């Protein structure tokens, strides 16, 4: 494997998945980085410093979850304007700390710089057993397609003026990989966009069953209030941080029992196909192209 | 070891050194992060995109060098304004790539976000043999104090309107640690500030011999042009990215031969003391407090 930056020796999986995968001695190393910028990824005035700290780590933990990994250690770089007070910085650190303690990630260092606009970058190192790593490229025709939780929840909440903390699905991902799941992604850009990442990486297609999509109640409310379609909000709304995964029949059969045991909602929403198309099967049985788009950080 | 973020299990050295140190199986893992912000750490208009890419990785490599480590893999987060063209982004990536190939660091992933102000964050993972890691906390009274290269070079160049690429002292650091050096820091904030980091971490003091400080020619020129003192520019100028290290007598004796072999300038500039003070011995033999300050990112 190679890239513009040179040949890969340490990297087993380079750019393009939720995390890079590096050869460790027993376990693979996972390395991921995420930046959140005020006014682009969050609105500091309404979010608040504590919630920002929690969110900045949680979105990275979600990337480790998507590989079925376990968090090891993180470094944090804060780029804050000079007007940020000590109290605000403390609130931010409290938010990071609560998330770190909850999910067993060690904050081992960082960098503190001045910037005219507030931005936070966290790089998180995790580990995973080589035989359990879940990649975007592992979907195969005939696999069943599942999603955890409900969709469009955070997009719906945002439209209702609410912020919901991100819960990385680390526990669920570990249990799924233990059951044989090998293809997974976390939903950060919306189902339609993130499913396409899986399809492209795996060289396959999918049919999503519209009637099966677990549209969140917040999404239904927000869509109703705005007079728009709840399903398309659920398919394209970003920041769900749920897991989208595939499983061959032999594994898929055990998923609903596993979900019960975990106390987690897991829904069968479709199937992987050989066609390379992303399709939506309507309640009437019609096959339409899955809506384009999803959360666009550049909009 | 513990922190506000919880107890450390993976971390052998947490925040406060050039890199965090994590337990690997054979080798320790080193993790570091650095953010560069336009208008704070660089002036994009005069620096250019290619040089920015090189610099962003090189300053992280310098942190790995300071621990006597070897780079393994990096993730890059770019926060660029929407007006940045594809060509500019390509130049940036070229700059990163040239540095990555030169120093054998794999770029394994990243994040690309929009931001009103250009900023780059790189997190770099490295490794080091447990018996060779160099820490800020390992200086002992009686150790000799050394520095590689010349001081104030980049501060001098900046004042003359020039940008000099950063050369991380990875090779030198590896050779020094092989010779028994165990206390090292890279000079990013200026000798006066970075020496104080070593003294604080080690609970010791130091006397720097003013006549021995290898003041760079660029610094001498810039100081002359501005009518200021070249030595104090060399002591407080940031961004040298040279190595400051200490060595007990048994090791110090072999340093100059090692430097010759490496083709590197290494200068004995003083000694570690038990007094906890940072002092400057003038050419006349007077002991003065070492100038405060150094490169202040918040100025």
């Amino acid at each position: 494997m190679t890239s513009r930056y040179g040949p890969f020796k340490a990297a087993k999986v380079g750019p393009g998945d939720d995390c890079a995968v590096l050869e460790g001695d027993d376990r693979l190393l996972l390395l991921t980085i995420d930046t959140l910028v005020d006014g682009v990824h969050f609105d500091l005035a309404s979010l608040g410093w504590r919630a920002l700290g929690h969110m900045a780590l949680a979105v990275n933990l979600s990337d480790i979850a998507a590989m079925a990994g376990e968090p090891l250690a993180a470094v944090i770089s804060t780029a804050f304007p000079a007007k940020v007070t000590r109290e605000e910085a403390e609130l931010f650190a409290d938010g990071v700390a609560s998330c770190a303690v909850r999910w067993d990630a060690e904050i081992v260092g960082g960098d503190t710089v001045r910037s005219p606009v507030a931005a936070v970058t966290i790089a998180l190192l995790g580990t995973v057993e080589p035989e359990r790593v879940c990649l975007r490229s592992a979907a195969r025709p005939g696999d069943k397609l599942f999603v955890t939780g409900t969709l469009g929840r955070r997009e719906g909440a945002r439209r209702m003026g609410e912020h919901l903390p991100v819960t990385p699905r680390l526990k669920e991902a570990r249990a799924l990989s233990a059951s044989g799941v090998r293809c997974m992604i976390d939903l950060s850009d919306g189902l339609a966009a993130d499913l396409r990442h899986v399809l492209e990486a795996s060289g396959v297609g999918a049919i999503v069953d519209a009637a099966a999509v677990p549209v969140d109640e917040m999404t239904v409310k927000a869509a109703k209030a705005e007079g728009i379609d709840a399903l398309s909000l659920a398919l394209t709304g970003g920041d769900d941080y749920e897991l989208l995964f595939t499983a061959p029949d032999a594994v898929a059969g055990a998923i609903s029992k596993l979900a019960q045991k975990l106390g987690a909602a897991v829904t069968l929403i479709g199937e992987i196909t050989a066609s390379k198309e992303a399709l939506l099967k309507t309640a009437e049985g019609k096959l339409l192209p899955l809506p384009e788009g999803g959360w666009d950080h550049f909009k």
Side-chain angles (χ1 to χ4, degrees), chain A:
Chain A
M1 199 171 40
T2 191
S3 81
R4 70 180 299 154
Y5 300 110
F8 283 122
K9 290 188 294 268
K12 236 174 108 77
V13 176
D17 216 304
D18 295 284
C19 300
V21 181
L22 307 167
E23 298 268 15
D25 279 325
D26 288 332
R27 285 191 148 214
L28 299 173
L29 298 173
L30 307 170
L31 187 57
T32 185
I33 191 167
D34 268 304
T35 295
L36 303 177
V37 180
D38 191 14
V40 180
H41 304 91
F42 61 91
D43 173 35
L44 187 54
S46 68
L47 182 62
W49 286 98
R50 200 172 201 289
L52 174 61
H54 187 282
M55 179 182 170
L57 182 56
V59 299
N60 275 283
L61 289 167
S62 184
D63 282 325
I64 296 289
M67 312 294 283
E70 292 177 316
L72 184 63
V75 282
I76 306 186
S77 178
T78 56
F80 291 160
K83 66 174 183 198
V84 171
T85 65
R86 197 187 159 78
E87 287 67 36
E88 289 169 331
E90 286 289 317
L91 279 174
F92 171 83
D94 280 348
V96 174
S98 71
C99 191
V101 168
R102 168 79 180 80
W103 299 104
D104 217 11
E106 296 179 26
I107 309 299
V108 295
D111 193 16
T112 307
V113 303
R114 281 286 169 256
S115 163
V117 58
V120 183
T121 303
I122 294 187
L124 180 60
L125 185 67
T127 67
V128 66
E129 303 86 341
E131 67 280 11
R132 282 178 66 178
V133 66
C134 290
L135 304 179
R136 298 180 182 185
S137 56
R140 299 291 170 262
D143 281 4
K144 297 290 185 283
L145 186 65
F146 295 87
V147 71
T148 63
T150 55
L151 298 186
R153 183 168 172 74
R154 247 173 228 90
E155 179 67 30
R158 184 162 39 218
R159 285 162 186 256
M160 310 286 281
E162 254 187 83
H163 168 74
L164 300 175
V166 172
T167 302
R169 300 297 181 199
L170 287 159
K171 187 187 61 170
E172 292 82 351
R174 291 293 294 169
L176 290 167
S177 82
S179 298
V181 169
R182 290 296 169 266
C183 176
M184 195 145 61
I185 189 171
D186 72 319
L187 295 177
S188 53
D189 297 334
L191 179 89
D194 288 319
L195 173 57
R196 281 193 172 81
H197 295 151
V198 170
L199 303 185
E200 274 158 36
S202 297
V204 295
I207 299 176
V208 173
D209 184 357
V213 173
V215 181
D216 191 83
E217 273 181 43
M218 297 285 273
T219 320
V220 174
K221 268 193 212 169
K224 208 169 176 181
E226 299 187 26
I228 55 178
D229 182 40
L231 178 64
S232 86
L233 211 57
L235 293 176
T236 60
D239 294 339
D240 276 328
Y241 298 106
E242 295 293 348
L243 299 171
L244 178 70
F245 62 95
T246 81
D249 276 333
V251 172
I255 296 289
S256 71
K257 198 165 276 179
L258 176 68
Q260 262 188 322
K261 214 177 104 187
L262 284 169
V266 176
T267 310
L268 173 65
I269 60 164
E271 192 170 314
I272 298 296
T273 64
S275 75
K276 301 200 180 184
E277 286 172 295
L279 300 171
L280 184 71
K281 192 169 86 180
T282 67
E284 299 79 36
K286 275 212 292 193
L287 286 177
L288 304 175
L290 192 70
E292 292 284 340
W295 173 246
D296 179 0
H297 295 295
F298 299 89
K299 78 183 167 193

